[in-house]
Amino acid sequence: ARFDVVLDCVGGDDYWERGQALLVDGGVYVTLVGPHRYGGDVAEATVGSALGDQLQSGIRRGLGLLGAGKKYTVVTPSMARGADLITLAKLVA
């Protein structure tokens, strides 16, 4: 089966790789975590790794916007900001 949206709550490059095959053309991969798996080793987190994650996410998003890959969005909803949850709801609706 193929879907319009894949919602990733775990993170990790392996989920991104597998998730692309589940998307229809024009589908969107939405991750709440990003390229590193949730619950990973905190000792590995550095400023450099955070910048690398942002760069990797930006490249994936850019390629998707250019039509050179599947659409990719990182959403970090906050219970304190209702607008974040509205954005997430629109992406998966």
Side-chain angles (χ1 to χ4, degrees), residues 77-89:
S78 165
M79 293 306 212
R81 286 182 25 104
D84 293 342
L85 298 176
I86 291 169
T87 300
L88 180 58

Side-chain angles (χ1 to χ4, degrees), residues 14-77:
D14 54 329
Y15 279 88
W16 162 242
E17 294 297 327
R18 286 185 271 164
Q20 292 180 77
L22 297 173
L23 291 168
V24 298
D25 289 339
V28 181
Y29 184 92
V30 179
T31 179
L32 303 178
V33 183
H36 281 111
R37 188 176 302 275
Y38 176 75
D41 186 2
V42 177
E44 294 180 20
T46 64
V47 171
S49 67
L51 291 173
D53 288 351
Q54 291 297 315
L55 178 62
Q56 186 177 31
S57 294
I59 290 170
R60 288 178 181 172
R61 182 167 170 73
L63 289 172
L65 292 172
L66 293 172
K70 298 293 183 183
K71 293 179 184 173
Y72 182 86
T73 302
V74 178
V75 178
T76 54

Side-chain angles (χ1 to χ4, degrees), residues 4-5 88-93:
D4 294 322
V5 176
L88 180 58
K90 287 178 181 177
L91 286 168
V92 298

